[in-house]
Amino acid sequence: MNLPGRHLLLLTLGLLLLTGCGAARQTRIHHSQLLSFGTLVDISLWDASPEQIENAERIIHDELHAMHHDWHAWQPGPLTETNQQLRGGEWFVCPPAILPLIVQAKQLYQRSGGLFNPAIGQLVALWGFHSDTLPKGPPPPKEAIASLVARKPGMDAIVIDGQRIRSTNPAVQLDFGAFAKGYAVDRIIEKLIANGIGNAIINAGGDLRAIGRHGDRPWRIGIRNPRGPGVLAGIELSGDESVFTSGDYERFFRYRGKRYHHIIDPRTGYPARGVTSVTVIHDNAATADAAATALFVAGPEEWHPIARRMGIKYVMVVDDKGRIHMNPAMARRIQFESEQKPEVVLSKPL
Ligand code: AMP
Ligand code: MG
């Protein structure tokens, strides 16, 4: 997720409907954009009634509101309250908006070998990314990074007993930035389905989940080029699939010619190296989101075993030399857009 980049500036705008559905019924495709609490969401619906369109926009608005209020890592709300309590180490009743995320995040943390680690909120804050504006550098002192890494914050330190939780490690501070958007997209899709909507794409800044089809053909989407404008590749989606990308271009600063971005390797405390973007396709959006972040951290050498552990079947890793690492099933689906085909490194099947 890229919460803060487009975030606060637009907060006061609340819900802004940018485009309407004028010709929607004639073409049977409805496109609109919602700018809600700083997150721009593209909605595509096939064959939806005006009532369903209205419901969809309300559902999306409500979910994004919940996401920004409940799960914000630095503005006061349920997550900052939870973090304060976790520091104390005592049992407390976890806010209901937070508990299910902790449960799911603990599983994803385990399956990612700790590379998806939403317990490293203090490290993300130390790098200056818990702010509505991007840091300018310099990077934090290496001693401060090393001492936080040595305290080993991890999701396994959070113990759950019914509605109550506690942390056995006071260095644990939650930051759901790597999977809250996926979690919210899953909830939106569930509610759309409950409203009888069977053919839709919910695209939040390039991260999306698609259900059904675009009439008699599959949905087609583009994956952004991490270095430059435009689209790197296109892909057709079938049935119910989520496509999530983590990139070093989303939130970063430059200092003395070096790029420092927001995806932190919990093992070193530094921004993960070797990768510019990772795209994952999976049925569940929260898992796809967490996996994209974890595989970014794993890098070009280690992504394959972690993807396997997380049950991911389609991965594309763009490394810092511009080479594209993919498993064969992903390679069969990817259609490169530019004339010049990039160098592709095929992995073993997942
Ligand atoms: P994403 O764009 O989904 O890869 O999420 C990146 C965001 O997740 C960052 O802005 C941080 O808030 C948080 N984050 C950074 N590194 C990690 C990590 N290794 N595990 C979990 N969350 C992280
Ligand atoms: Mg992610």
Side-chain angles (χ1 to χ4, degrees):
M1 177 166 79
N2 186 18
L3 252 176
R6 295 174 285 260
H7 182 52
L8 256 193
L9 188 67
L10 299 159
L11 186 70
T12 48
L13 289 178
L15 170 67
L16 173 64
L17 188 57
L18 292 180
T19 56
C21 57
R25 293 307 288 169
Q26 289 129 39
T27 59
R28 303 175 75 190
I29 181 76
H30 163 91
H31 288 296
S32 57
Q33 286 189 320
L34 275 180
L35 183 54
S36 207
F37 306 94
T39 302
L40 187 62
V41 179
D42 284 290
I43 310 161
S44 307
L45 301 172
W46 179 265
D47 237 3
S49 69
E51 195 191 341
Q52 285 174 325
I53 292 169
E54 201 179 303
N55 285 343
E57 283 164 357
R58 186 180 34 76
I59 288 165
I60 293 164
H61 174 258
D62 291 351
E63 286 301 323
L64 293 179
H65 176 251
M67 170 172 114
H68 288 287
H69 174 259
D70 296 342
W71 309 332
H72 206 290
W74 62 92
Q75 280 172 18
L79 186 59
T80 55
E81 284 161 27
T82 303
N83 276 334
Q84 203 174 340
Q85 301 261 34
L86 288 173
R87 269 194 289 272
E90 302 296 328
W91 286 102
F92 64 99
V93 175
C94 186
I98 303 295
L99 190 55
L101 278 90
I102 294 180
V103 171
Q104 202 171 340
K106 276 173 73 80
Q107 290 166 0
L108 291 164
Y109 166 81
Q110 283 298 339
R111 283 160 57 199
S112 73
L115 301 186
F116 165 74
N117 185 357
I120 60 164
Q122 279 201 69
L123 268 172
V124 181
L126 182 67
W127 278 94
F129 289 113
H130 279 180
S131 162
D132 297 322
T133 51
L134 286 173
K136 292 191 174 63
K142 59 178 189 301
E143 297 75 20
I145 296 171
S147 85
L148 262 180
V149 172
R151 294 173 73 196
K152 296 194 184 324
M155 290 304 290
D156 47 0
I158 299 184
V159 193
I160 305 176
D161 174 24
Q163 306 299 310
R164 298 185 319 146
I165 64 168
R166 68 180 284 255
S167 173
T168 57
N169 180 346
V172 165
Q173 290 287 278
L174 295 170
D175 170 340
F176 290 134
F179 96 131
K181 199 205 277 179
Y183 193 93
V185 166
D186 280 337
R187 287 214 313 209
I188 289 167
I189 291 288
E190 267 167 43
K191 291 186 177 169
L192 295 187
I193 292 171
N195 270 268
I197 295 172
N199 301 293
I201 298 186
I202 301 304
N203 182 339
D207 294 319
L208 60 90
R209 180 163 162 186
I211 51 171
R213 294 168 68 80
H214 179 285
D216 55 6
R217 67 164 173 84
W219 292 111
R220 289 192 194 119
I221 57 116
I223 297 166
R224 183 185 154 166
N225 183 350
R227 289 286 180 274
V231 167
L232 173 70
I235 197 154
E236 289 191 342
L237 301 177
S238 62
D240 182 353
E241 290 188 304
S242 305
V243 185
F244 274 70
T245 299
S246 282
D248 69 353
Y249 49 83
E250 288 194 76
R251 302 200 80 212
F252 67 95
F253 61 92
R254 280 184 197 286
Y255 187 76
R256 297 196 174 151
K258 223 169 156 187
R259 179 193 289 252
Y260 295 92
H261 62 79
H262 66 145
I263 303 172
I264 308 295
D265 186 336
R267 301 166 297 189
T268 63
Y270 282 79
R273 291 276 169 229
V275 172
T276 56
S277 80
V278 172
T279 300
V280 162
I281 307 179
H282 189 71
D283 49 7
N284 169 285
T287 304
D289 196 352
T293 307
L295 301 183
F296 191 106
V297 174
E301 307 300 331
E302 282 179 281
W303 65 268
H304 195 273
I306 303 291
R308 222 178 231 179
R309 254 177 94 166
M310 296 187 84
I312 306 294
K313 299 288 180 218
Y314 301 98
V315 179
M316 179 172 83
V317 176
V318 183
D319 74 19
D320 57 5
K321 315 245 171 359
R323 284 181 308 221
I324 302 199
H325 306 249
M326 288 189 279
N327 61 304
M330 183 66 147
R332 283 195 288 277
R333 297 184 64 176
I334 286 281
Q335 288 163 329
F336 289 108
E337 297 286 315
S338 83
E339 305 272 284
Q340 240 184 333
K341 295 258 181 303
E343 185 186 337
V344 171
V345 184
L346 269 192
S347 74
K348 283 188 274 181
L350 273 172

